[in-house]
Amino acid sequence: MSQATEHYYVPAPSKWPIIGSTALVFMGFGAALTMNKLPLGYSLLGIGFAILVFMLFGWFGEVIRESQKGVYHAQEDRSFRWGMTWFIFSEVMFFAAFFGALFYMRTFSIPWLAGEGVGGVDHALLWPDFTGDWPTAGPGFADNFTPMGAWGIPAINTLLLLTSGVTITLAHWALQKNDRSGLKLWMLATIALGVTFLGFQIYEYGHAYADLNLKLTSGAYGSTFYMLTGFHGFHVTLGTIMLIVIYFRSAAGHFKPEHHFGFEGVAWYWHFVDVVWLGLFIFVYLV
Amino acid sequence: MGSKLLSFWVGVMVLGFYSGSAVSSKYNLPEPQTIIAQQIYDQHIWALWICLVIFIAVFGVMGYSIVKHRKSAGYKAANFHHSTTVEIIWTAIPCIILIFMAWPATKTVIAMKDTTESDITVKVTGYQWMWGYDYLQGEGEGIKFYSQLATSQSEIHNETPKGENYLLEVNNRLVVPVGKKIRIILTANDVLHAWWVPALGVKQDAIPGFIRDTWFTADNVGVFRGQCAELCGKEHGFMPIVVEVVEEQQYAQWVADQLKTAATDANAAIINAAAK
Amino acid sequence: MAVVQDVHGHVHGHPTGIMRWIGATNHKDIGTMYLCFSLTMLFIGGFLIMGVRAELFMPGMQIFEPEVFNSFTTLHGLIMVFGAIMPAFVGFANWQVPMMIGAPDMAFARMNNWSFWLLPVAASLLIGSFFVPGGAAAGGWTFYPPLSTQGGLGVDMMIFAIHILGASSIMGAINIITTILNMRAPGMTLMKMPMFVWTWLITAYLLVLVMPVLAGTVTMLLTDRHFGTSFFNAAGGGDPVLFQHVFWFFGHPEVYIMILPSFGIVSEVIPTFARKPLFGYSSMVYATASIAILSCIVWAHHMFSVGMPAAGQLFFMYATMLIAVPTGVKVFNWTATMWRGSMTFETPMLFAIGFILLFVIGGFSGVVCALVPVDIQVQDTYYVIAHFHYVLVSGSLFSLFAGAYYWLPKWSGRMYDETLGKWHFWLSMVFFNLTFFVQHFLGLAGMPRRIPDYALQFADFNMISSIGAFGFGLAQLLFVYIVIKCLRSGEKAPDMPWDGAKTLEWTHLPTPAPYHSFETPPVVKF
Ligand code: HEA
Ligand code: HEA
Ligand code: CUA
Ligand SMILES: [Cu+2]
């Protein structure tokens, strides 16, 4: 048919999904075994992870090749946008679960443990010495720790991420004006900011463990602090990897001023990571 | 219309019969022994009546059209598909009905929460798999004991015939006086449990590390049985609750006995310790 | 008939061999795999509960150790919910959504494949957990901590299975949303979409909203188990009840995820067999949306016995009861659709009517549960078991049967055996009620759920329930037979086997639907 190119692109059967599933079989069993300190765990986990990485390279590589071949038109482009939007939304909900836990502990469970509620009986019967001031490791843990202040590294990190939000937008503008060197320059800047952020975060964790006695096991504060910042850090890592991929694609001449969803998807993701960080800065570090 | 009326009256009679005869039968909630349990009982029947009426109305209409508006009866389809008036009506009516259901429930909820001014306070602790009772305040203060399933393993494994209170008997019952407000304070030692005695209208989860409370005032003497109502591991089905409600002076007697044995036990412990 | 749609240019043809399935990017093939998978899981989940019902046939311990019994109940719940019902609906969405909106395929065909192929991975973790030291998870499908903090390897396998299932659902949901929003044929405006498509759009939104929260929940459980965090541990300032909040924030919308597509299927079937358009189409859409929105603010009605403050209990009671209103609108609309129609009662219609009848009973017992004082009595008893099997089995499962019989001719090009179909319906109907109606009485009289042995006064109803369950299970074998018979030797289906059908897959496509449909969008006029 002559208008065949107008057709929505439906890819041919692909081996990548089943490879991904194979990876997850290994990883699922491997992780379960590892966590129960049973033999074979690490090996399975390692194999699974290797397969997963292979799959990601293969799958995304294929998408990129297709994109370069020009099979994606306006309608496919819209699909990608919807897809990315709702993917990011689902990520927001993932973080919401942890923010919700933090909120619940601070407004409900910790005051209850400190005796608020049922006529103060909690206090007398179970945890007589507990006052419930935040931050706390909870009534049952004797360990003392120092909470993480907001105005040191976290404030610097906030600046870094906010700046990176600006640089990636500058990169986007450059791309739209087809200014390839500007694009690459600002991309590099964004990546550098992301990596610096991660470096600071690693340093901060080291500092917390070594000097502040603040650990993942430090009760409510430790749990929420590490899980929230940890998952965020993990997302920054993913985002940075995506930025690096996009950088190399830009360097290879991919993306057109009017057609560059791959770039925009990563930019959206980066902004999302940025916004989550603002939530963290306020609710984990500040108040 | 005939079949609709008929089914209506059949339904009414069935439910009327049900609500009349179901008291303390195995078809309904057990016979209520407290004000709260009574209110729950009544609200349940009330809700059933409402549901029955709606059920008959909806399925009367549907049944009628199933019988009459079928192709095999030669009925030709109409073509209407919309009526704002009707839609508004059948949105509004359920709202109103719901208010009539929610109103009494609201009052009971508030009453259930009022644990003030109790005569006796008992702390109940859930363990895997038994209950600990601890009389904290009021007559009997200081009494403590554990309460465990008393049904034998051989009955459970079908080696001996099962007794009348199979799985619902314990070694030490919770004894309380009739007509007194008993406040139950709950916690758990390991995992979640729930302390539930249907006839008293009480169910409350026991949560490790937290305290929750509830209350009841039994109207009659008797033995009331319940079970742990929150999955707590392998013996979850085997940690019953037995509450024995007794006359006041009988209760006083029981308290005296308990405190005496406790005192002798304590003495024995001191003597033992001294001997070592 | 002329297979017009097969004339295409460079678009690949009809893949064959094993890669057709393993690598499938065709929405119909993927839909078929989903449906087969879910039927298998229905049998596995059903097999587990047959063990449970056998143990409960008489008082006393006969078959199981209590812990094994608990793991059977637990895995029954998980496998039925995540393995049987949800994938079945996704299978229907795969087959039907593109055809009903005039799209060539799903928006992300390769991701669609992965959504499916994640399911066997998760299933292997779940089922495999029976065979590891310590056995499968035994804390109920709700796996409340601290009990689930105690379990062994099996619990971790369950956690990872849930992660993977969550990923699969999220990808599936994104795919469906995108397909519906972006791939409709010209003229197919949102308010002209078939109800089934609408209900799936709203369901997919619920999925992206709550599945990530479930993922977060199990992640917290995992770190509590192995890395010393204290989310659900009072000693560290956490709270076991926090788990219940986050779990049910997922869990309640989840039950509507399992019923909204049912509403969609029934809203397709009823008008077809009443030969009359769906009454109150737009109010159906609004009702579906209201149910979805309300479902996000009622979760704590599963927690009335944890000892929430009165204000909390009242709020959740009112919000829960309110759901009866939009649901009622749906029921009334179906009734009005049937009113003065010209009805015939083929198997799909029977299942749809059976659905309405029994779902309403389940809805009523739901409203009874929603009354806090009454729920204090019935929470965690067989009354709740009866409630949710009325909405899940005679709700979701019956609607799936209705849909399967309705679309089987379109999918396979052959007719199923109508007589056997009716047998399947009536047997299911009788045995279903035998199994679950008496459970209302058991619950009211005080039988807790999740127990392997019970007091003597519960004996006769349990025996009736078990007999009903075995009968219901056997009746499902008939379904498999009917499907196989239909595929192998069923009569050839006419292009339009149901004269009242109005949706695109019937009006614009030959029967059976060609492998590639709507590569050029149809022009839709209403
Ligand atoms: C498909 C699944 C599904 C559906 C649709 C529903 C629908 C409803 N459910 Fe159900 N529910 C479950 C699945 C479902 N539920 C499950 C799985 C559990 C247990 C989980 C576990 O613990 O393991 C559960 C448990 C459960 C509980 C907790 C019980 C307990 O553990 O103590 C409650 C309490 O409020 C409840 C309420 C309701 C209500 C009010 C509805 C409403 O949506 C029903 C609305 C419908 C109608 C009311 C009928 C039609 C309406 C009319 C004809 C209009 C007029 C009616 C009136 C005015 C009353 N459900
Ligand atoms: C989502 C859907 C769903 C479905 C479809 C079902 C289907 C069935 N369920 Fe259940 N069920 C749940 C969801 C579901 N369930 C959940 C969420 C729980 C709570 C779990 C928990 O407490 O954690 C539960 C719990 C539950 C219990 C309570 C267990 C306990 O508390 O200990 C019972 C008891 O009777 C029960 C029974 C049944 C029966 C008889 C069927 C039947 O409909 C099944 C019929 C199907 C088959 C039987 C398979 C097909 C046939 C064969 C394999 C042929 C062989 C047949 C024979 C040998 C007879 N279910
Ligand atoms: Cu204790 Cu169940
Ligand atoms: Cu619910």
Side-chain angles (χ1 to χ4, degrees):
Chain A
M1 256 196 271
S2 54
Q3 79 275 46
T5 42
E6 300 283 306
H7 284 171
Y8 193 84
Y9 178 71
V10 180
S14 163
K15 60 183 188 296
W16 297 117
I18 196 75
I19 294 176
S21 289
T22 315
L24 287 182
V25 175
F26 280 101
M27 289 176 75
F29 281 92
L33 291 172
T34 310
M35 287 179 186
N36 290 278
K37 304 191 174 50
L38 289 164
L40 272 179
Y42 281 112
S43 347
L44 291 184
L45 203 54
I47 296 172
F49 189 70
I51 302 178
L52 188 73
V53 171
F54 170 67
M55 180 279 268
L56 289 172
F57 266 95
W59 192 329
F60 282 111
E62 197 165 316
V63 175
I64 293 168
R65 273 191 304 280
E66 284 167 358
S67 170
Q68 289 306 103
K69 261 196 306 192
V71 299
Y72 296 143
H73 309 285
Q75 197 181 10
E76 286 86 349
D77 197 64
R78 276 199 305 278
S79 283
F80 285 133
R81 282 161 203 276
W82 280 121
M84 194 68 192
T85 310
W86 292 105
F87 169 65
I88 290 179
F89 176 74
S90 77
E91 291 268 53
V92 170
M93 288 312 294
F94 181 77
F95 275 97
F98 290 90
F99 276 110
L102 174 65
F103 170 78
Y104 179 92
M105 288 183 189
R106 291 192 57 176
T107 23
F108 298 114
S109 68
I110 287 171
W112 283 339
L113 288 166
E116 203 177 89
V118 203
V121 277
D122 290 41
H123 213 43
L125 282 172
L126 292 175
W127 315 106
D129 306 322
F130 185 58
T131 53
D133 301 319
W134 186 260
T136 173
F141 292 173
D143 249 17
N144 272 322
F145 66 85
T146 321
M148 185 63 71
W151 296 115
I153 293 173
I156 301 177
N157 266 350
T158 309
L159 273 180
L160 288 176
L161 272 196
L162 286 178
T163 317
S164 77
V166 175
T167 53
I168 194 153
T169 307
L170 290 174
H172 192 194
W173 288 350
L175 172 55
Q176 280 168 335
K177 281 184 287 196
N178 212 8
D179 163 12
R180 307 300 294 195
S181 54
L183 167 64
K184 277 183 282 183
L185 180 72
W186 290 120
M187 283 301 298
L188 273 182
T190 314
I191 295 168
L193 288 165
V195 172
T196 321
F197 173 95
L198 285 171
F200 271 125
Q201 181 141 14
I202 292 168
Y203 171 80
E204 184 195 61
Y205 278 7
H207 170 62
Y209 263 80
D211 310 326
L212 305 181
N213 196 28
L214 170 58
K215 307 198 172 92
L216 186 58
T217 48
S218 305
Y221 184 81
S223 308
T224 49
F225 173 80
Y226 280 106
M227 291 297 274
L228 275 163
T229 56
F231 268 115
H232 178 262
F234 175 65
H235 281 79
V236 176
T237 314
L238 287 185
T240 310
I241 295 174
M242 281 152 60
L243 287 173
I244 293 172
V245 172
I246 293 300
Y247 171 77
F248 282 113
R249 288 189 65 188
S250 314
H254 293 193
F255 307 126
K256 298 194 203 74
E258 68 293 336
H259 191 85
H260 49 254
F261 172 74
F263 177 93
E264 277 179 277
V266 175
W268 291 355
Y269 193 80
W270 193 252
H271 286 308
F272 147 73
V273 168
D274 202 350
V275 171
V276 171
W277 174 262
L278 287 183
L280 283 179
F281 185 66
I282 295 171
F283 293 110
V284 175
Y285 292 98
L286 262 185
V287 292
Chain B
M1 211 57 218
S3 66
K4 208 172 135 191
L5 259 183
L6 185 72
S7 57
F8 177 76
W9 285 115
V10 169
V12 168
M13 274 159 62
V14 169
L15 191 64
F17 180 73
Y18 174 72
S19 43
S21 70
V23 181
S24 140
S25 78
K26 57 188 180 191
Y27 297 99
N28 201 347
L29 295 166
E31 198 177 336
Q33 303 294 336
T34 65
I35 305 178
I36 297 286
Q38 183 66 50
Q39 290 175 0
I40 295 175
Y41 190 95
D42 296 341
Q43 282 164 29
H44 172 240
I45 296 287
W46 172 227
L48 275 187
W49 272 103
I50 293 179
C51 292
L52 182 78
V53 172
I54 302 174
F55 189 85
I56 291 173
V58 174
F59 291 101
V61 174
M62 194 184 287
Y64 180 84
S65 78
I66 287 176
V67 174
K68 293 287 159 102
H69 306 155
R70 48 170 67 214
K71 198 178 172 200
S72 55
Y75 199 86
K76 290 272 176 307
N79 201 26
F80 61 87
H81 53 77
H82 184 73
S83 161
T84 313
T85 332
V86 174
E87 306 255 3
I88 290 175
I89 292 174
W90 70 38
T91 312
I93 291 180
C95 290
I96 296 167
I97 297 176
L98 289 174
I99 294 173
F100 280 98
M101 283 166 104
W103 177 246
T106 304
K107 288 196 287 193
T108 308
V109 170
I110 290 164
M112 283 193 304
K113 288 284 168 188
D114 179 17
T115 52
T116 54
E117 288 169 26
S118 58
D119 300 302
I120 294 175
T121 303
V122 184
K123 179 177 159 218
V124 179
T125 311
Y127 296 89
Q128 281 175 320
W129 291 274
M130 61 182 171
W131 295 99
Y133 294 107
D134 212 331
Y135 287 65
L136 284 188
Q137 167 255 310
E139 188 179 3
E141 190 173 326
I143 299 176
K144 277 184 194 199
F145 54 86
Y146 295 105
S147 173
Q148 252 175 320
L149 179 73
T151 304
S152 70
Q153 284 300 311
S154 60
E155 278 176 68
I156 294 175
H157 290 101
N158 308 310
E159 285 142 12
T160 50
K162 302 188 188 340
E164 191 200 347
N165 289 314
Y166 176 65
L167 293 188
L168 295 179
E169 195 54 88
V170 294
N171 55 0
N172 298 309
R173 296 168 168 184
L174 175 71
V175 181
V176 295
V178 70
K180 288 267 161 26
K181 184 164 185 179
I182 315 292
R183 176 164 177 252
I184 300 284
I185 295 189
L186 276 127
T187 186
N189 193 47
D190 30 50
V191 301
L192 301 172
H193 302 267
W195 197 81
W196 176 37
V197 184
L200 303 176
V202 169
K203 181 186 283 147
Q204 175 59 57
D205 289 4
I207 301 160
F210 288 84
I211 291 277
R212 293 293 147 95
D213 66 348
T214 181
W215 68 275
F216 65 87
T217 307
D219 295 336
N220 304 302
V221 296
V223 178
F224 306 110
R225 294 167 200 277
Q227 280 174 270
C228 175
E230 187 65 65
L231 180 58
C232 54
K234 71 180 165 60
E235 311 275 293
H236 161 61
F238 305 93
M239 52 183 293
I241 296 145
V242 182
V243 178
E244 189 174 347
V245 180
V246 297
E247 294 296 351
E248 237 175 285
Q249 75 266 37
Q250 212 181 329
Y251 180 70
Q253 183 61 45
W254 179 80
V255 167
D257 289 351
Q258 289 290 313
L259 291 175
K260 202 158 79 199
T261 41
T264 32
D265 286 356
N267 278 341
I270 293 168
I271 292 165
N272 277 343
K276 275 196 191 138
Chain C
M1 92 227 59
V3 197
V4 211
Q5 307 294 338
D6 264 7
V7 193
H8 46 61
H10 69 272
V11 182
H12 56 91
H14 195 315
T16 47
I18 185 82
M19 265 320 268
R20 166 172 178 193
W21 302 104
I22 290 184
T25 46
N26 177 285
H27 70 107
K28 300 188 181 82
D29 284 348
I30 295 175
T32 306
M33 291 196 292
Y34 263 109
L35 292 173
C36 293
F37 174 83
S38 105
L39 192 63
T40 315
M41 288 296 129
L42 178 75
F43 274 73
I44 296 176
F47 167 78
L48 295 174
I49 208 68
M50 289 302 116
V52 166
R53 284 301 345 157
E55 174 67 62
L56 293 175
F57 189 74
M58 286 188 309
M61 298 299 295
Q62 279 80 236
I63 308 175
F64 290 117
E65 288 299 312
E67 195 68 358
V68 180
F69 176 94
N70 289 345
S71 64
F72 269 52
T73 297
T74 304
L75 270 278
H76 162 69
L78 287 169
I79 288 179
M80 285 301 197
V81 169
F82 294 106
I85 303 292
M86 289 173 67
F89 283 129
V90 184
F92 272 78
N94 258 295
W95 262 101
Q96 289 307 125
V97 168
M99 290 205 287
M100 289 175 122
I101 61 174
D105 205 299
M106 297 291 277
F108 304 106
R110 256 183 311 237
M111 188 169 87
N112 199 14
N113 173 299
W114 206 25
S115 304
F116 171 76
W117 279 107
L118 285 176
L119 295 179
V121 178
S124 69
L125 279 164
L126 280 179
I127 296 166
S129 70
F130 274 112
F131 306 103
V132 299
W141 84 285
T142 51
F143 48 95
Y144 287 178
L147 185 61
S148 57
T149 328
Q150 289 180 346
L153 182 55
V155 179
D156 297 309
M157 291 170 73
M158 175 196 77
I159 289 176
F160 291 124
I162 290 178
H163 275 127
I164 293 171
L165 289 163
S168 156
S169 290
I170 292 171
M171 287 195 277
I174 291 176
N175 217 333
I176 291 171
I177 296 178
T178 308
T179 307
I180 298 177
L181 293 183
N182 191 34
M183 313 265 295
R184 275 169 289 128
M188 176 66 75
T189 60
L190 282 178
M191 287 313 269
K192 282 179 183 152
M193 292 194 310
M195 262 323 278
F196 178 71
V197 179
W198 254 116
T199 52
W200 242 117
L201 178 61
I202 292 170
T203 304
Y205 280 126
L206 279 180
L207 278 168
V208 281
L209 187 79
V210 301
M211 291 312 285
V213 176
L214 177 66
T217 311
V218 291
T219 306
M220 289 186 238
L221 184 63
L222 188 76
T223 56
D224 265 20
R225 283 167 56 78
H226 295 294
F227 304 108
T229 56
S230 308
F231 290 103
F232 310 130
N233 174 5
D239 186 348
V241 176
L242 166 60
F243 175 90
Q244 302 183 23
H245 281 290
V246 273
F247 179 85
W248 288 115
F249 180 81
F250 145 80
H252 186 83
E254 166 70 14
V255 307
Y256 291 98
I257 288 167
M258 294 188 284
I259 204 69
L260 293 182
S262 297
F263 292 166
I265 293 177
V266 170
S267 305
E268 298 303 331
V269 170
I270 301 262
T272 298
F273 293 90
R275 292 167 183 75
K276 195 167 149 278
L278 183 67
F279 187 87
Y281 172 87
S282 46
S283 71
M284 284 300 232
V285 173
Y286 300 136
T288 312
S290 327
I291 294 175
I293 292 165
L294 281 173
S295 80
C296 299
I297 53 162
V298 302
W299 72 88
H301 66 215
H302 296 272
M303 304 163 55
F304 284 149
S305 65
V306 299
M308 268 182 287
Q313 291 190 329
L314 290 175
F315 170 79
F316 286 108
M317 171 169 87
Y318 300 148
T320 305
M321 294 177 77
L322 214 51
I323 297 192
V325 176
T327 318
V329 168
K330 299 206 141 244
V331 172
F332 303 142
N333 280 335
W334 291 322
T335 315
T337 307
M338 288 158 74
W339 185 254
R340 297 184 50 208
S342 173
M343 277 187 278
T344 50
F345 301 93
E346 287 88 347
T347 313
M349 184 65 163
L350 288 179
F351 270 107
I353 294 175
F355 166 91
I356 303 180
L357 186 78
L358 300 181
F359 171 80
V360 166
I361 296 181
F364 284 157
S365 59
V367 173
V368 171
C369 288
L371 295 167
V372 176
V374 184
D375 189 59
I376 290 292
Q377 291 286 29
V378 298
Q379 188 268 338
D380 252 310
T381 68
Y382 265 80
Y383 191 88
V384 177
I385 304 283
H387 156 62
F388 71 73
H389 285 86
Y390 265 83
V391 282
L392 277 169
V393 178
S394 60
S396 313
L397 191 60
F398 271 31
S399 78
L400 286 164
F401 287 140
Y405 286 112
Y406 181 55
W407 280 305
L408 208 49
K410 173 79 346 176
W411 299 342
S412 67
R414 292 169 187 275
M415 292 305 285
Y416 61 89
D417 183 326
E418 192 60 60
T419 323
L420 287 181
K422 290 200 164 113
W423 270 100
H424 176 219
F425 169 73
W426 286 109
L427 287 173
S428 299
M429 189 77 181
V430 168
F431 284 118
F432 170 82
N433 282 292
L434 202 60
T435 315
F436 293 107
F437 199 77
V438 291
Q439 292 186 358
H440 292 113
F441 301 138
L442 282 174
L444 288 171
M447 179 168 163
R449 62 194 279 202
R450 295 166 171 167
I451 56 171
D453 193 8
Y454 48 83
L456 298 179
Q457 72 260 35
F458 307 127
D460 34 8
F461 285 147
N462 267 302
M463 193 177 282
I464 296 177
S465 182
S466 292
I467 293 171
F470 301 144
F472 187 82
L474 292 175
Q476 306 323 309
L477 290 177
L478 185 57
F479 176 68
V480 179
Y481 174 73
I482 295 174
V483 173
I484 293 175
K485 183 164 173 240
C486 166
L487 297 182
R488 298 179 119 196
S489 58
E491 266 174 57
K492 243 179 121 352
D495 264 6
M496 182 60 106
W498 323 118
D499 31 294
K502 292 280 188 302
T503 38
L504 288 190
E505 82 277 27
W506 299 110
T507 55
H508 282 62
L509 287 176
T511 301
Y515 192 67
H516 298 290
S517 38
F518 296 132
E519 291 200 324
T520 350
V523 179
V524 187
K525 289 201 215 78
F526 285 93

